[in-house]
Structures are given as structure tokens and as C-alpha cells.
Amino acid sequence: MAQRRKPTYATWRKMTELAQSNRLTGYSDTWKSSLLITFRRYYYSVLQGLLIGAVLVGVLLLVRYRASRAWWLTYGIYLAAVAFYLNLLGASPVGLVARPHAALMAGPSAGAAWLTTARAGDRLLVRGRQDIWYRVEWRNRDAYIRRNDLLLLQ
């Protein structure tokens, strides 16, 4: 949870070492994860600056009654870029398996095909929610796990 709030590479490296020693999945230590940690570390600071800039420029344009259309168009493009940054570049939800021997199923049903059993502490990317199931990514494919078996990190 601390890594989710204030990500650092040293913490992530220690988490991957512990995960490897306990044979947990979802803790990769690659250059992509390092880049993602750096991006997430500054995500909220950059977002705060972008939103403050949007408010200041919006107020400035409203005070100047006769601002040209080019300025308003530029401001609209800026707002679209801020919306893109906010919605598409945000962190994806991650869940930790909370119970040992949690079943990963092929579909959102107890009658669906059983894929594997997850260990407590496995880290899974959450793709969605359907009834009492979370749709998660497991080995580059979709799997389903019961909501009670997964601790969602926000």
C-alpha cells in the first residue's frame, strides 16, 4: 500500500525480492516497471500543475472579453490534453490475493473452467468487475477471481 501511495524503486525492488523468495506472481522487475514507477511518482504533482494552469488560463480568458478564437481553441486543446492525462494515463487498479488457494476461473461463475489456484500475496491487474467477480489479468489472459479473495488497492 505504501508503494501505491508514494512509489519508489527501492521499495519495489525489495517487494520483488520477497515475492521471488515466496514464489509469488505479478512482481516483475524490468525496465518497464522502473519507468512506470518513475511516472507514477510524479503523476499527481504534474496533474496538480496542469489543473492549476487550466484554471488560471480559463480565468484569464474569461476576464479578457475579446480573446480571439485561436486562444479559445488552444485552451480547448489544452483541456483535452489534461483530460487525456487524467483518464488514460492514470494508474490501473491492482489487487492482492488475500486468501490462500484462491481459485482463478475462466469465467465469472462457479461452474466455469478452473484455471489455477493463486497464492495469498499474488499481485493481479484488475480489468473490471462483474457481480461478485473481478476480471483480472493472469499470464496475459483474462481470469476471474471472487471479490472476497482479492484486496483491491486504490
PDB file of all heavy atoms in Angstrom, residues 34-59:
ATOM      1  N   SER A  34      10.390  -0.081 -13.937  1.00  0.00           N
ATOM      2  CA  SER A  34      11.164   1.050 -13.433  1.00  0.00           C
ATOM      3  C   SER A  34      10.655   2.373 -14.015  1.00  0.00           C
ATOM      4  O   SER A  34      10.501   3.359 -13.296  1.00  0.00           O
ATOM      5  CB  SER A  34      12.639   0.863 -13.784  1.00  0.00           C
ATOM      6  OG  SER A  34      13.377   1.995 -13.454  1.00  0.00           O
ATOM      7  N   LEU A  35      10.369   2.374 -15.309  1.00  0.00           N
ATOM      8  CA  LEU A  35       9.837   3.572 -15.958  1.00  0.00           C
ATOM      9  C   LEU A  35       8.452   3.906 -15.422  1.00  0.00           C
ATOM     10  O   LEU A  35       8.126   5.067 -15.175  1.00  0.00           O
ATOM     11  CB  LEU A  35       9.793   3.360 -17.470  1.00  0.00           C
ATOM     12  CG  LEU A  35       9.354   4.536 -18.314  1.00  0.00           C
ATOM     13  CD1 LEU A  35      10.359   5.675 -18.193  1.00  0.00           C
ATOM     14  CD2 LEU A  35       9.234   4.112 -19.770  1.00  0.00           C
ATOM     15  N   LEU A  36       7.641   2.898 -15.200  1.00  0.00           N
ATOM     16  CA  LEU A  36       6.296   3.097 -14.673  1.00  0.00           C
ATOM     17  C   LEU A  36       6.333   3.647 -13.248  1.00  0.00           C
ATOM     18  O   LEU A  36       5.520   4.510 -12.882  1.00  0.00           O
ATOM     19  CB  LEU A  36       5.523   1.786 -14.715  1.00  0.00           C
ATOM     20  CG  LEU A  36       4.035   1.856 -14.482  1.00  0.00           C
ATOM     21  CD1 LEU A  36       3.368   2.722 -15.546  1.00  0.00           C
ATOM     22  CD2 LEU A  36       3.446   0.466 -14.506  1.00  0.00           C
ATOM     23  N   ILE A  37       7.255   3.189 -12.448  1.00  0.00           N
ATOM     24  CA  ILE A  37       7.401   3.701 -11.081  1.00  0.00           C
ATOM     25  C   ILE A  37       7.781   5.174 -11.110  1.00  0.00           C
ATOM     26  O   ILE A  37       7.236   5.989 -10.361  1.00  0.00           O
ATOM     27  CB  ILE A  37       8.428   2.867 -10.292  1.00  0.00           C
ATOM     28  CG1 ILE A  37       7.846   1.500  -9.977  1.00  0.00           C
ATOM     29  CG2 ILE A  37       8.858   3.573  -9.009  1.00  0.00           C
ATOM     30  CD1 ILE A  37       8.846   0.512  -9.453  1.00  0.00           C
ATOM     31  N   THR A  38       8.696   5.537 -11.994  1.00  0.00           N
ATOM     32  CA  THR A  38       9.099   6.940 -12.120  1.00  0.00           C
ATOM     33  C   THR A  38       7.920   7.795 -12.557  1.00  0.00           C
ATOM     34  O   THR A  38       7.696   8.888 -12.032  1.00  0.00           O
ATOM     35  CB  THR A  38      10.251   7.077 -13.122  1.00  0.00           C
ATOM     36  OG1 THR A  38      11.325   6.252 -12.696  1.00  0.00           O
ATOM     37  CG2 THR A  38      10.713   8.511 -13.228  1.00  0.00           C
ATOM     38  N   PHE A  39       7.144   7.307 -13.520  1.00  0.00           N
ATOM     39  CA  PHE A  39       5.983   8.058 -13.995  1.00  0.00           C
ATOM     40  C   PHE A  39       4.955   8.222 -12.882  1.00  0.00           C
ATOM     41  O   PHE A  39       4.433   9.311 -12.668  1.00  0.00           O
ATOM     42  CB  PHE A  39       5.355   7.342 -15.200  1.00  0.00           C
ATOM     43  CG  PHE A  39       4.086   7.978 -15.668  1.00  0.00           C
ATOM     44  CD1 PHE A  39       4.122   9.155 -16.376  1.00  0.00           C
ATOM     45  CD2 PHE A  39       2.870   7.397 -15.383  1.00  0.00           C
ATOM     46  CE1 PHE A  39       2.955   9.755 -16.804  1.00  0.00           C
ATOM     47  CE2 PHE A  39       1.700   7.986 -15.803  1.00  0.00           C
ATOM     48  CZ  PHE A  39       1.735   9.158 -16.520  1.00  0.00           C
ATOM     49  N   ARG A  40       4.661   7.163 -12.167  1.00  0.00           N
ATOM     50  CA  ARG A  40       3.653   7.233 -11.106  1.00  0.00           C
ATOM     51  C   ARG A  40       4.097   8.108  -9.938  1.00  0.00           C
ATOM     52  O   ARG A  40       3.275   8.673  -9.232  1.00  0.00           O
ATOM     53  CB  ARG A  40       3.323   5.838 -10.604  1.00  0.00           C
ATOM     54  CG  ARG A  40       2.464   5.084 -11.570  1.00  0.00           C
ATOM     55  CD  ARG A  40       1.993   3.794 -10.991  1.00  0.00           C
ATOM     56  NE  ARG A  40       1.211   3.069 -11.968  1.00  0.00           N
ATOM     57  CZ  ARG A  40       1.106   1.772 -12.016  1.00  0.00           C
ATOM     58  NH1 ARG A  40       1.735   1.035 -11.122  1.00  0.00           N
ATOM     59  NH2 ARG A  40       0.372   1.188 -12.936  1.00  0.00           N
ATOM     60  N   ARG A  41       5.399   8.195  -9.754  1.00  0.00           N
ATOM     61  CA  ARG A  41       5.911   9.008  -8.650  1.00  0.00           C
ATOM     62  C   ARG A  41       5.556  10.478  -8.840  1.00  0.00           C
ATOM     63  O   ARG A  41       5.276  11.188  -7.875  1.00  0.00           O
ATOM     64  CB  ARG A  41       7.416   8.832  -8.578  1.00  0.00           C
ATOM     65  CG  ARG A  41       8.033   9.540  -7.430  1.00  0.00           C
ATOM     66  CD  ARG A  41       9.484   9.233  -7.355  1.00  0.00           C
ATOM     67  NE  ARG A  41       9.966   9.554  -6.030  1.00  0.00           N
ATOM     68  CZ  ARG A  41      11.131   9.248  -5.595  1.00  0.00           C
ATOM     69  NH1 ARG A  41      11.963   8.594  -6.359  1.00  0.00           N
ATOM     70  NH2 ARG A  41      11.506   9.580  -4.396  1.00  0.00           N
ATOM     71  N   TYR A  42       5.574  10.938 -10.075  1.00  0.00           N
ATOM     72  CA  TYR A  42       5.312  12.353 -10.358  1.00  0.00           C
ATOM     73  C   TYR A  42       3.941  12.594 -10.968  1.00  0.00           C
ATOM     74  O   TYR A  42       3.620  13.716 -11.341  1.00  0.00           O
ATOM     75  CB  TYR A  42       6.395  12.897 -11.284  1.00  0.00           C
ATOM     76  CG  TYR A  42       7.762  12.785 -10.670  1.00  0.00           C
ATOM     77  CD1 TYR A  42       8.691  11.877 -11.152  1.00  0.00           C
ATOM     78  CD2 TYR A  42       8.108  13.577  -9.585  1.00  0.00           C
ATOM     79  CE1 TYR A  42       9.945  11.765 -10.578  1.00  0.00           C
ATOM     80  CE2 TYR A  42       9.357  13.465  -8.994  1.00  0.00           C
ATOM     81  CZ  TYR A  42      10.263  12.558  -9.510  1.00  0.00           C
ATOM     82  OH  TYR A  42      11.492  12.442  -8.929  1.00  0.00           O
ATOM     83  N   TYR A  43       3.089  11.580 -11.055  1.00  0.00           N
ATOM     84  CA  TYR A  43       1.786  11.707 -11.712  1.00  0.00           C
ATOM     85  C   TYR A  43       0.923  12.782 -11.058  1.00  0.00           C
ATOM     86  O   TYR A  43       0.394  13.668 -11.728  1.00  0.00           O
ATOM     87  CB  TYR A  43       1.064  10.348 -11.698  1.00  0.00           C
ATOM     88  CG  TYR A  43      -0.347  10.413 -12.219  1.00  0.00           C
ATOM     89  CD1 TYR A  43      -0.581  10.457 -13.587  1.00  0.00           C
ATOM     90  CD2 TYR A  43      -1.427  10.434 -11.362  1.00  0.00           C
ATOM     91  CE1 TYR A  43      -1.864  10.520 -14.079  1.00  0.00           C
ATOM     92  CE2 TYR A  43      -2.721  10.498 -11.851  1.00  0.00           C
ATOM     93  CZ  TYR A  43      -2.931  10.533 -13.204  1.00  0.00           C
ATOM     94  OH  TYR A  43      -4.207  10.604 -13.686  1.00  0.00           O
ATOM     95  N   TYR A  44       0.765  12.727  -9.751  1.00  0.00           N
ATOM     96  CA  TYR A  44      -0.130  13.661  -9.075  1.00  0.00           C
ATOM     97  C   TYR A  44       0.424  15.082  -9.044  1.00  0.00           C
ATOM     98  O   TYR A  44      -0.343  16.041  -9.124  1.00  0.00           O
ATOM     99  CB  TYR A  44      -0.457  13.170  -7.665  1.00  0.00           C
ATOM    100  CG  TYR A  44      -1.333  11.942  -7.690  1.00  0.00           C
ATOM    101  CD1 TYR A  44      -0.834  10.704  -7.331  1.00  0.00           C
ATOM    102  CD2 TYR A  44      -2.654  12.022  -8.105  1.00  0.00           C
ATOM    103  CE1 TYR A  44      -1.628   9.577  -7.373  1.00  0.00           C
ATOM    104  CE2 TYR A  44      -3.457  10.902  -8.152  1.00  0.00           C
ATOM    105  CZ  TYR A  44      -2.948   9.682  -7.793  1.00  0.00           C
ATOM    106  OH  TYR A  44      -3.725   8.572  -7.850  1.00  0.00           O
ATOM    107  N   SER A  45       1.724  15.241  -8.948  1.00  0.00           N
ATOM    108  CA  SER A  45       2.314  16.585  -8.971  1.00  0.00           C
ATOM    109  C   SER A  45       2.104  17.235 -10.334  1.00  0.00           C
ATOM    110  O   SER A  45       1.740  18.416 -10.423  1.00  0.00           O
ATOM    111  CB  SER A  45       3.805  16.519  -8.663  1.00  0.00           C
ATOM    112  OG  SER A  45       4.024  15.968  -7.399  1.00  0.00           O
ATOM    113  N   VAL A  46       2.323  16.466 -11.394  1.00  0.00           N
ATOM    114  CA  VAL A  46       2.114  17.000 -12.751  1.00  0.00           C
ATOM    115  C   VAL A  46       0.637  17.302 -12.975  1.00  0.00           C
ATOM    116  O   VAL A  46       0.283  18.340 -13.535  1.00  0.00           O
ATOM    117  CB  VAL A  46       2.662  16.011 -13.807  1.00  0.00           C
ATOM    118  CG1 VAL A  46       2.258  16.421 -15.203  1.00  0.00           C
ATOM    119  CG2 VAL A  46       4.170  15.910 -13.702  1.00  0.00           C
ATOM    120  N   LEU A  47      -0.247  16.411 -12.518  1.00  0.00           N
ATOM    121  CA  LEU A  47      -1.679  16.634 -12.668  1.00  0.00           C
ATOM    122  C   LEU A  47      -2.117  17.893 -11.928  1.00  0.00           C
ATOM    123  O   LEU A  47      -2.908  18.689 -12.455  1.00  0.00           O
ATOM    124  CB  LEU A  47      -2.456  15.422 -12.151  1.00  0.00           C
ATOM    125  CG  LEU A  47      -3.969  15.516 -12.245  1.00  0.00           C
ATOM    126  CD1 LEU A  47      -4.404  15.644 -13.693  1.00  0.00           C
ATOM    127  CD2 LEU A  47      -4.603  14.314 -11.591  1.00  0.00           C
ATOM    128  N   GLN A  48      -1.598  18.105 -10.750  1.00  0.00           N
ATOM    129  CA  GLN A  48      -1.933  19.299  -9.990  1.00  0.00           C
ATOM    130  C   GLN A  48      -1.493  20.561 -10.746  1.00  0.00           C
ATOM    131  O   GLN A  48      -2.232  21.532 -10.836  1.00  0.00           O
ATOM    132  CB  GLN A  48      -1.277  19.245  -8.617  1.00  0.00           C
ATOM    133  CG  GLN A  48      -1.639  20.383  -7.711  1.00  0.00           C
ATOM    134  CD  GLN A  48      -0.987  20.250  -6.344  1.00  0.00           C
ATOM    135  OE1 GLN A  48      -0.074  19.450  -6.156  1.00  0.00           O
ATOM    136  NE2 GLN A  48      -1.461  21.018  -5.384  1.00  0.00           N
ATOM    137  N   GLY A  49      -0.290  20.544 -11.301  1.00  0.00           N
ATOM    138  CA  GLY A  49       0.183  21.687 -12.078  1.00  0.00           C
ATOM    139  C   GLY A  49      -0.658  21.934 -13.321  1.00  0.00           C
ATOM    140  O   GLY A  49      -0.973  23.092 -13.654  1.00  0.00           O
ATOM    141  N   LEU A  50      -1.034  20.862 -14.009  1.00  0.00           N
ATOM    142  CA  LEU A  50      -1.873  21.014 -15.203  1.00  0.00           C
ATOM    143  C   LEU A  50      -3.241  21.597 -14.869  1.00  0.00           C
ATOM    144  O   LEU A  50      -3.759  22.452 -15.593  1.00  0.00           O
ATOM    145  CB  LEU A  50      -2.040  19.660 -15.897  1.00  0.00           C
ATOM    146  CG  LEU A  50      -0.821  19.091 -16.613  1.00  0.00           C
ATOM    147  CD1 LEU A  50      -1.102  17.671 -17.081  1.00  0.00           C
ATOM    148  CD2 LEU A  50      -0.427  19.961 -17.774  1.00  0.00           C
ATOM    149  N   LEU A  51      -3.834  21.152 -13.770  1.00  0.00           N
ATOM    150  CA  LEU A  51      -5.149  21.667 -13.387  1.00  0.00           C
ATOM    151  C   LEU A  51      -5.083  23.117 -12.915  1.00  0.00           C
ATOM    152  O   LEU A  51      -5.976  23.914 -13.219  1.00  0.00           O
ATOM    153  CB  LEU A  51      -5.769  20.775 -12.316  1.00  0.00           C
ATOM    154  CG  LEU A  51      -6.172  19.382 -12.779  1.00  0.00           C
ATOM    155  CD1 LEU A  51      -6.660  18.547 -11.613  1.00  0.00           C
ATOM    156  CD2 LEU A  51      -7.227  19.449 -13.862  1.00  0.00           C
ATOM    157  N   ILE A  52      -4.042  23.476 -12.179  1.00  0.00           N
ATOM    158  CA  ILE A  52      -3.874  24.876 -11.768  1.00  0.00           C
ATOM    159  C   ILE A  52      -3.695  25.754 -13.000  1.00  0.00           C
ATOM    160  O   ILE A  52      -4.284  26.835 -13.105  1.00  0.00           O
ATOM    161  CB  ILE A  52      -2.695  25.019 -10.784  1.00  0.00           C
ATOM    162  CG1 ILE A  52      -3.064  24.415  -9.434  1.00  0.00           C
ATOM    163  CG2 ILE A  52      -2.287  26.484 -10.614  1.00  0.00           C
ATOM    164  CD1 ILE A  52      -1.905  24.309  -8.461  1.00  0.00           C
ATOM    165  N   GLY A  53      -2.896  25.283 -13.963  1.00  0.00           N
ATOM    166  CA  GLY A  53      -2.724  26.030 -15.208  1.00  0.00           C
ATOM    167  C   GLY A  53      -4.025  26.183 -15.964  1.00  0.00           C
ATOM    168  O   GLY A  53      -4.309  27.252 -16.527  1.00  0.00           O
ATOM    169  N   ALA A  54      -4.852  25.159 -15.986  1.00  0.00           N
ATOM    170  CA  ALA A  54      -6.137  25.227 -16.687  1.00  0.00           C
ATOM    171  C   ALA A  54      -7.056  26.256 -16.044  1.00  0.00           C
ATOM    172  O   ALA A  54      -7.724  27.031 -16.742  1.00  0.00           O
ATOM    173  CB  ALA A  54      -6.803  23.857 -16.702  1.00  0.00           C
ATOM    174  N   VAL A  55      -7.082  26.294 -14.716  1.00  0.00           N
ATOM    175  CA  VAL A  55      -7.934  27.270 -14.027  1.00  0.00           C
ATOM    176  C   VAL A  55      -7.434  28.686 -14.274  1.00  0.00           C
ATOM    177  O   VAL A  55      -8.216  29.600 -14.586  1.00  0.00           O
ATOM    178  CB  VAL A  55      -7.999  26.946 -12.517  1.00  0.00           C
ATOM    179  CG1 VAL A  55      -8.649  28.081 -11.745  1.00  0.00           C
ATOM    180  CG2 VAL A  55      -8.744  25.649 -12.289  1.00  0.00           C
ATOM    181  N   LEU A  56      -6.133  28.895 -14.158  1.00  0.00           N
ATOM    182  CA  LEU A  56      -5.576  30.240 -14.343  1.00  0.00           C
ATOM    183  C   LEU A  56      -5.798  30.749 -15.770  1.00  0.00           C
ATOM    184  O   LEU A  56      -6.207  31.897 -15.961  1.00  0.00           O
ATOM    185  CB  LEU A  56      -4.089  30.248 -13.995  1.00  0.00           C
ATOM    186  CG  LEU A  56      -3.744  30.059 -12.519  1.00  0.00           C
ATOM    187  CD1 LEU A  56      -2.236  30.021 -12.319  1.00  0.00           C
ATOM    188  CD2 LEU A  56      -4.373  31.156 -11.682  1.00  0.00           C
ATOM    189  N   VAL A  57      -5.544  29.917 -16.745  1.00  0.00           N
ATOM    190  CA  VAL A  57      -5.729  30.347 -18.137  1.00  0.00           C
ATOM    191  C   VAL A  57      -7.210  30.555 -18.422  1.00  0.00           C
ATOM    192  O   VAL A  57      -7.593  31.499 -19.127  1.00  0.00           O
ATOM    193  CB  VAL A  57      -5.094  29.328 -19.111  1.00  0.00           C
ATOM    194  CG1 VAL A  57      -5.471  29.631 -20.543  1.00  0.00           C
ATOM    195  CG2 VAL A  57      -3.583  29.335 -18.948  1.00  0.00           C
ATOM    196  N   GLY A  58      -8.084  29.714 -17.871  1.00  0.00           N
ATOM    197  CA  GLY A  58      -9.518  29.892 -18.062  1.00  0.00           C
ATOM    198  C   GLY A  58     -10.014  31.203 -17.476  1.00  0.00           C
ATOM    199  O   GLY A  58     -10.802  31.916 -18.107  1.00  0.00           O
ATOM    200  N   VAL A  59      -9.543  31.534 -16.287  1.00  0.00           N
ATOM    201  CA  VAL A  59      -9.928  32.803 -15.670  1.00  0.00           C
ATOM    202  C   VAL A  59      -9.387  33.967 -16.492  1.00  0.00           C
ATOM    203  O   VAL A  59     -10.092  34.962 -16.724  1.00  0.00           O
ATOM    204  CB  VAL A  59      -9.434  32.876 -14.208  1.00  0.00           C
ATOM    205  CG1 VAL A  59      -9.557  34.279 -13.638  1.00  0.00           C
ATOM    206  CG2 VAL A  59     -10.193  31.881 -13.358  1.00  0.00           C
TER     207      VAL A  59
END
